């Protein structure tokens, strides 16, 4: 993943935009993309001038059901994905697609046959 632009460059683009220059003009002048200039200027108007953190691990929304799903698989090793899907829906009102559920099970290391 590429590094964030320098804060100095950001500041110059934002200042140009806040002084009345269009985002497109500021982007051309400082050699950044139009969409970046628009986002920086918009965020600066709310008081946010610095770069946001990049990357990082995003936790799955299904991590909180790991123990529940693990117990289901231990109780019934031949449980199907459709049955797991139905149990999540019934117990937690969680709607999940089969491929999403299968991918999460694979990544979390829960195996069943």
């Amino acid at each position: 993943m590429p590094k964030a632009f320098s804060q100095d460059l950001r500041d110059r683009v934002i200042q140009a935009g806040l002084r009345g220059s269009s985002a497109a003009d500021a982007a051309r002048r400082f050699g950044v993309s139009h969409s970046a200039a628009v986002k920086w200027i918009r965020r600066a108007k709310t008081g946010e001038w610095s770069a946001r953190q990049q990357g990082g691990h995003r936790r799955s929304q299904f991590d909180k059901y790991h123990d529940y799903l693990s117990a289901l698989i231990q109780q019934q090793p031949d449980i199907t994905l459709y049955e797991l899907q139905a149990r999540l829906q019934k117990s937690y009102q969680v709607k999940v697609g089969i491929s999403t559920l299968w991918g999460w099970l694979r990544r979390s290391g829960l195996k069943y046959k």
Side-chain angles (χ1 to χ4, degrees):
M1 178 179 282
K3 290 184 178 181
F5 285 105
S6 70
Q7 188 60 45
D8 178 56
L9 176 61
R10 252 178 206 285
D11 291 342
R12 287 184 282 150
V13 171
I14 291 169
Q15 288 170 355
L18 294 178
R19 287 187 187 134
S21 180
S22 72
D25 289 341
R28 265 193 303 278
R29 180 174 167 196
F30 295 104
V32 298
S33 70
H34 177 263
S35 65
V38 168
K39 289 174 189 174
W40 294 349
I41 294 167
R42 184 180 301 141
R43 286 180 38 220
K45 289 178 182 177
T46 66
E48 188 178 355
W49 283 55
S50 61
R52 292 180 177 169
Q53 184 177 1
Q54 292 184 340
H57 174 70
R58 286 186 56 199
R59 292 183 52 124
S60 171
Q61 63 178 340
F62 298 111
D63 287 347
K64 57 187 164 192
Y65 306 114
H66 183 276
D67 293 338
Y68 174 71
L69 292 170
S70 178
L72 287 176
I73 292 170
Q74 286 178 356
Q75 289 171 5
Q76 187 181 349
D78 62 342
I79 193 168
T80 67
L81 288 171
Y82 291 101
E83 290 170 330
L84 286 172
Q85 179 188 43
R87 296 272 184 97
L88 276 172
Q89 171 70 33
K90 183 178 179 184
S91 299
Y92 294 100
Q93 291 74 45
V94 173
K95 292 184 179 181
V96 59
I98 293 298
S99 62
T100 302
L101 181 58
W102 179 81
W104 181 83
L105 288 169
R106 187 174 44 85
R107 284 188 304 277
S108 65
L110 292 177
K111 297 191 188 258
Y112 66 98
K113 300 228 176 204

